[in-house]
Amino acid sequence: RHCPLASCSSDGATCPCQPQEDGSRFTVDQVLEVVAALAGLNAAGALPEVFASAARALQASGERLTSAQRKLLKEVYAAAGRERDVSFLSFLVPTGDESQTHKVKGSTEEGFNSEGLPTRPGVRVCENYYKTGTCKMGRLCRMDHPEAMRVIMNSEGFPIRPWVQACTYYARMGTCDFRKTCKWHHPEKKASHG
């Protein structure tokens, strides 16, 4: 079966003009593509209802939006001067997908890291070191303490741990009650232009 619209060249099964399984007419990527194209044409002023409608439709997708889609959405709407349409993004929980966290491998050389904790290639990473950045056993610990997992603090005193999910409270509010003891990632804030 073909699409009833003469301008559409796809078959009915893959046609963006036909409703998807969830009842929507376009996939998230298709909506992003259309909005990005309109933003590139500087059409936000002439078609504000299109941007607002697309944002409402994407808001319904909420938690299913990937980190990459969320980032693109913020960039496109910011470029179009319509950031308020996608303000819902700041209330979404970070996805924790692979684009947000970095995989850390164990140590490659036997010895001690810069904090004086043992590095032991091929041995499991110390769970306490992984979670808190410290080790109660110190030099006597039999586990690995990779230098790459050494916890450093951002400019505000919050721990930077790119191998775990971002702190949701910090992402939403810009602060964290646990400060240096929080077990989640606190990336540096981007400098605002203005």
Side-chain angles (χ1 to χ4, degrees):
R1 189 180 117 198
H2 293 283
C3 177
L5 298 177
S7 61
C8 185
S9 60
S10 64
D11 63 21
T14 59
C15 176
C17 304
Q18 297 299 311
Q20 306 292 314
E21 288 179 20
D22 64 356
S24 64
R25 294 209 180 264
F26 296 95
T27 66
V28 169
D29 288 329
Q30 289 169 332
V31 171
L32 286 170
E33 188 178 329
V34 168
V35 172
L38 290 173
L41 294 171
N42 237 359
L47 302 168
E49 66 280 352
V50 173
F51 283 84
S53 295
R56 284 192 301 274
L58 290 167
Q59 184 174 3
S61 296
E63 302 295 333
R64 294 190 312 265
L65 294 171
T66 66
S67 295
Q69 290 171 330
R70 293 175 189 191
K71 181 179 178 188
L72 179 61
L73 198 54
K74 283 180 183 177
E75 289 171 359
V76 166
Y77 275 77
R82 301 202 47 97
E83 298 93 339
R84 69 184 175 282
D85 289 344
V86 292
S87 60
F88 69 90
L89 291 171
S90 62
F91 299 105
L92 295 178
V93 174
T95 62
D97 61 18
E98 62 281 354
S99 64
Q100 219 174 14
T101 59
H102 303 282
K103 181 77 174 156
V104 176
K105 296 179 182 176
S107 300
T108 56
E109 294 182 17
E110 186 87 23
F112 296 93
N113 67 18
S114 61
E115 295 176 329
L117 298 171
T119 56
R120 304 182 194 279
V123 177
R124 191 169 58 123
V125 173
C126 175
E127 190 172 337
N128 200 45
Y129 187 71
Y130 177 82
K131 289 180 179 177
T132 67
T134 62
C135 179
K136 295 175 186 174
M137 298 295 292
R139 295 176 71 97
L140 300 175
C141 187
R142 296 180 183 209
M143 300 296 159
D144 186 24
H145 304 83
E147 184 67 32
M149 291 182 69
R150 187 173 64 88
V151 176
I152 57 173
M153 301 297 170
N154 70 15
S155 60
E156 297 178 288
F158 299 108
I160 295 176
R161 294 187 171 101
W163 55 90
V164 296
Q165 182 177 325
C167 175
T168 56
Y169 193 80
Y170 182 78
R172 288 182 186 163
M173 306 303 289
T175 188
C176 176
D177 292 340
F178 292 101
R179 298 236 18 115
K180 65 181 181 182
T181 61
C182 186
K183 65 180 182 176
W184 304 112
H185 179 47
H186 303 80
E188 285 288 354
K189 292 179 184 170
K190 293 181 179 145
S192 59
H193 303 291

